[in-house]
Amino acid sequence: MKQKRLDAICAFLDPNDCIIDIGCDHAYVPIEMAKRGAKKILATDIHEKALEIAKKNIQREHLEKKITCLVADGLKKVDVNGYDTLVIAGMGTNTIKKILNNPKKLQAIQKVIIQSNNDLKELRQFLSSLRFQLIDEIVLLEKNHYYTIMKWKKGTSKLSKTEEELGIWRQENLEYYQVLEAKFLEIKQKIPLFHIKKRFQIWRKKTKIKTYIKKSQKKNRGMIGLL
């Protein structure tokens, strides 16, 4: 995991969280959080080889007393008692949905930090249906690829249709939305004029992003004015 993503995920966590990192890979998040003071962390991965490397990394940092390792497929065979926070990073939305589709295991979970590789609208709708609310979201650029990291907490606040598609506003994410808008403009220009329906669909997506940027910036300026 690259440093920017690691820092962003850890920024959404707290040393008081009792963390289960699902698909921990080499345990970079558990190690960093243990260094920041977290005392109860479970690092799981479905791949034994990855977990062996994770164990070596943990031992190298002398953090065996703070981090427990477990070979597990998602939340299967995981005892969630005593834990309140999940981290799921670097997986596709379908895999994340399968992991979280377990109401009993989610009863004690109060916070979920997610970095998905695709289908973010579907993921936001799914987490909302599980009675979690999107608290914060940041988009990072690494090696010409944008990564979206989300912070969810137990709650019933609903997202708007636009927020389901584009996420909740953060000024730091402006560049991503501008790139996305430019991308749709480029796609529209490449579609032959006689493909009216396709051109209109792309134009609507581009316009939605442009409107979202304007409304969010105006709302943000208004909130700053109230301070």
Side-chain angles (χ1 to χ4, degrees):
M1 180 179 291
K2 298 297 182 181
Q3 190 65 40
K4 286 172 69 175
R5 271 179 285 161
L6 175 63
D7 289 343
I9 290 171
C10 291
F12 282 164
L13 294 167
D14 187 274
N16 293 321
D17 293 335
C18 297
I19 305 163
I20 302 175
D21 186 357
I22 300 173
C24 70
D25 195 31
H26 296 168
Y28 297 125
V29 170
I31 288 170
E32 181 59 30
M33 288 310 300
K35 288 180 177 179
R36 296 187 186 193
K39 294 178 174 58
K40 188 168 184 178
I41 308 171
L42 176 62
T44 80
D45 204 286
I46 194 173
H47 302 291
E48 288 190 41
K49 288 184 178 180
L51 208 60
E52 284 301 317
I53 296 173
K55 288 178 181 178
K56 290 178 181 178
N57 290 338
I58 292 166
Q59 289 167 359
R60 189 179 299 116
E61 300 291 342
H62 307 291
L63 294 170
E64 300 95 323
K65 291 183 179 180
K66 290 187 175 183
I67 306 171
T68 304
C69 293
L70 176 69
V71 176
D73 180 2
L75 285 171
K76 295 176 183 176
K77 299 180 180 179
V78 175
D79 184 358
V80 298
N81 290 326
Y83 294 94
D84 55 27
T85 302
L86 297 181
V87 174
I88 309 176
M91 301 183 194
T93 286
N94 284 338
T95 301
I96 294 171
K97 286 173 66 177
K98 288 177 182 177
I99 291 170
L100 295 178
N101 193 21
N102 194 326
K104 288 185 178 180
K105 291 284 180 80
L106 289 182
Q107 284 179 2
I109 303 302
Q110 300 299 313
K111 184 195 298 184
V112 184
I113 311 301
I114 292 179
Q115 182 259 300
S116 175
N117 297 328
N118 57 11
D119 300 326
L120 299 181
K121 179 181 178 180
E122 182 182 342
L123 181 62
R124 294 187 189 102
Q125 291 173 331
F126 178 72
L127 265 293
S128 295
S129 74
L130 295 178
R131 295 184 176 275
F132 283 87
Q133 60 185 37
L134 186 56
I135 302 298
D136 204 350
E137 184 170 336
I138 190 165
V139 184
L140 304 174
L141 178 63
E142 284 187 345
K143 291 188 176 181
N144 297 317
H145 184 82
Y146 285 99
Y147 295 90
T148 301
I149 299 167
M150 306 175 185
K151 177 181 180 180
W152 295 81
K153 282 191 174 183
K154 277 279 176 67
T156 56
S157 177
K158 290 186 177 180
L159 297 172
S160 67
K161 295 294 183 182
T162 303
E163 286 173 332
E164 285 181 349
E165 188 170 346
L166 298 174
I168 58 175
W169 176 257
R170 219 186 206 251
Q171 185 64 33
E172 294 94 324
N173 300 338
L174 175 60
E175 179 183 305
Y176 164 69
Y177 292 119
Q178 291 173 332
V179 169
L180 202 58
E181 182 186 357
K183 178 183 175 182
F184 282 123
L185 176 60
E186 184 181 349
I187 292 172
K188 177 177 175 289
Q189 290 172 338
K190 290 180 179 179
I191 299 174
L193 293 174
F194 57 85
H195 287 305
I196 299 173
K197 188 176 180 179
K198 285 184 178 180
R199 287 175 61 87
F200 179 68
Q201 288 173 340
I202 298 300
W203 175 82
R204 281 189 66 183
K205 289 182 178 181
K206 174 190 172 299
T207 303
K208 181 180 285 189
I209 295 168
K210 187 173 184 177
T211 302
Y212 179 64
I213 291 172
K214 285 185 176 180
K215 283 185 176 180
S216 298
Q217 288 183 318
K218 184 178 179 181
K219 183 179 178 181
N220 191 50
R221 285 194 295 269
M223 290 179 68
I224 292 172
L226 293 173
L227 298 176

